[in-house]
Amino acid sequence: MVKLGNVLLRYSVMIFMLHVIIWSSNNYKLIVMADVPAIFVFGDSTVDVGTNNYLHGSLATANNPYYGIDYPHHVATGRFSNGYNPADFIARHLGDYTESPPAFLALVQKQSTFKSGILRGANFASAGSGILDDTGNQGFHNVTSLTRQIEQFQTVCGNITQILGDVKGSKLIANAFYFLSVGSNDFFDQFRFNYNISTPELVADLSDTFTIHLQNLYNLGARKFGICGIPTIGCLPGIRAVTPGGACNETLNGYAQIFFNTTLSLLQDFSSANPGMNFSLGNYFLMTTGVIDNPVASGFVEVEAACCGTGPYKGVYKCTQNSDVCKKRDEYLFWDWFHPTQKASEMAALSLLYATGQEFVTPINFTTLATIQH
């Protein structure tokens, strides 16, 4: 049984975050307690800002209306949101950014500004990708794996040291903030394609592979890792739409909880084995559960159906120009079949940045992590 005190704490924090959002609705930037020299983003569609726009034949794209309906000038940038995503809000609060650094593949297209651009960071995240190299390929045909994202970052590191020199370049890389949001698609692939692998085997494979990815980043000079766990993926509109009675799929939710615990353990071991490595792990599962259990306390009205989509729970297909789109988007937890609204993304980002205690983020919040100097 969940202790009443823990429930009240969860809801009080969510209410606090809502008040912060209302207070800052016309000025998203709160007092910045950290000013990181650069931000590098890795992961999947939760933080993709347009990578897949440059991948020929990729089916995991969001460069069509109504995506971006609340983004400046209503532009569909490739973000899987009605506006901004968590990476954008994280960047705003950690430095002099208006949004996430551009997609690496977008920066590459402009060689005249590539070198100056990468000194502020880059976003390598690719919708559909996961921790395992094969994740996303069967369903979406062309995604940038996490392995490839880190290889792209290696190219960036070479350019940074070439521009600044070894000493200054290494210092920038060490003091940059590394934001990773990945893992859901590895479990979605297991769910969709029924691979012949047991849950313990899959989790062990993911844990071992994720450790390799982190080691590669560490070896390239990364030291400050802000990492997000997996949300309640069993309660997404796209999952409710194919579940009898529109219920949550508890198998998928179980994956999310198991992997959070596994990730926390591996990060504790990894930080002990690698001097100077610091981390902050966000518990997206508890954040989302708190909203679904008590939407009113968090300022939401609809926490089951998507704002934009088709079919039951608007979860049968992604948002398109032919979809039914809601008008009061800030009242919805979910934007499309698998992704949060801009408002929900901001609430999650604020929790990662400023939450006290260790319920939503552990062992320190993102802002505290960002202030550590190397």
Side-chain angles (χ1 to χ4, degrees), residues 264-285:
L264 178 57
S265 179
L266 82 83
L267 287 171
Q268 290 168 338
D269 292 342
F270 188 84
S271 61
S272 296
N274 292 275
M277 184 273 190
N278 299 100
F279 74 89
S280 178
L281 177 62
N283 195 332
Y284 267 176
F285 189 90

Side-chain angles (χ1 to χ4, degrees), residues 43 48 50-61 63 103-106 109 124-129 136-137 140-145 148-149 152:
D48 187 348
T51 292
N52 286 19
N53 295 348
Y54 300 90
L55 302 182
H56 180 71
S58 177
L59 299 180
T61 56
N63 55 355
F104 169 77
L105 295 182
Q109 301 297 313
F124 305 92
S126 172
S129 66
N137 290 327
F140 302 112
H141 297 177
N142 191 5
V143 303
T144 303
S145 67
R148 179 59 182 150
Q149 292 177 38
Q152 293 171 342

Side-chain angles (χ1 to χ4, degrees), residues 134-211:
D134 290 337
T135 294
N137 290 327
Q138 185 171 348
F140 302 112
H141 297 177
N142 191 5
V143 303
T144 303
S145 67
L146 191 53
T147 294
R148 179 59 182 150
Q149 292 177 38
I150 295 171
E151 290 172 351
Q152 293 171 342
F153 173 65
Q154 184 175 10
T155 299
V156 167
C157 288
N159 281 273
I160 289 174
T161 53
Q162 183 181 41
I163 297 167
L164 300 179
D166 289 341
V167 175
K168 290 184 178 179
S170 296
K171 187 174 181 62
L172 183 148
I173 292 168
N175 285 296
F177 191 89
Y178 297 83
F179 183 30
L180 292 86
S181 180
V182 68
S184 296
N185 290 314
D186 298 288
F187 293 110
F188 284 142
D189 273 14
Q190 170 78 347
F191 177 74
R192 293 175 66 188
F193 305 116
N194 194 27
Y195 296 140
N196 187 25
I197 182 172
S198 68
T199 299
E201 288 177 309
L202 177 59
V203 171
D205 192 13
L206 288 171
S207 181
D208 291 344
T209 306
F210 198 29
T211 301

Side-chain angles (χ1 to χ4, degrees), residues 156-334:
V156 167
C157 288
N159 281 273
I160 289 174
T161 53
Q162 183 181 41
I163 297 167
L164 300 179
D166 289 341
V167 175
K168 290 184 178 179
S170 296
K171 187 174 181 62
L172 183 148
I173 292 168
N175 285 296
F177 191 89
Y178 297 83
F179 183 30
L180 292 86
S181 180
V182 68
S184 296
N185 290 314
D186 298 288
F187 293 110
F188 284 142
D189 273 14
Q190 170 78 347
F191 177 74
R192 293 175 66 188
F193 305 116
N194 194 27
Y195 296 140
N196 187 25
I197 182 172
S198 68
T199 299
E201 288 177 309
L202 177 59
V203 171
D205 192 13
L206 288 171
S207 181
D208 291 344
T209 306
F210 198 29
T211 301
I212 293 170
H213 291 315
L214 294 175
Q215 190 67 61
N216 289 336
L217 284 171
Y218 179 88
N219 292 344
L220 289 169
R223 293 295 181 268
K224 297 188 285 190
F225 296 82
I227 299 173
C228 294
I230 300 172
T232 51
I233 53 177
C235 297
L236 298 173
I239 301 302
R240 288 186 187 272
V242 297
T243 304
C248 295
N249 183 297
E250 295 307 331
T251 298
L252 283 171
N253 283 343
Y255 287 152
Q257 291 175 294
I258 292 170
F259 193 64
F260 176 85
N261 294 329
T262 302
T263 302
L264 178 57
S265 179
L266 82 83
L267 287 171
Q268 290 168 338
D269 292 342
F270 188 84
S271 61
S272 296
N274 292 275
M277 184 273 190
N278 299 100
F279 74 89
S280 178
L281 177 62
N283 195 332
Y284 267 176
F285 189 90
L286 278 185
M287 292 182 202
T288 314
T289 301
V291 173
I292 292 174
D293 288 349
N294 191 343
V296 175
S298 304
F300 293 104
V301 174
E302 177 56 66
V303 295
E304 295 184 356
C307 173
C308 183
T310 57
Y313 298 93
K314 296 183 187 175
V316 174
Y317 189 60
K318 75 172 191 176
C319 177
T320 71
Q321 196 165 8
N322 297 321
S323 298
D324 179 20
V325 60
C326 68
K327 293 182 179 180
K328 297 181 179 181
R329 293 177 282 278
D330 282 353
E331 293 183 354
Y332 280 68
L333 174 61
F334 297 108

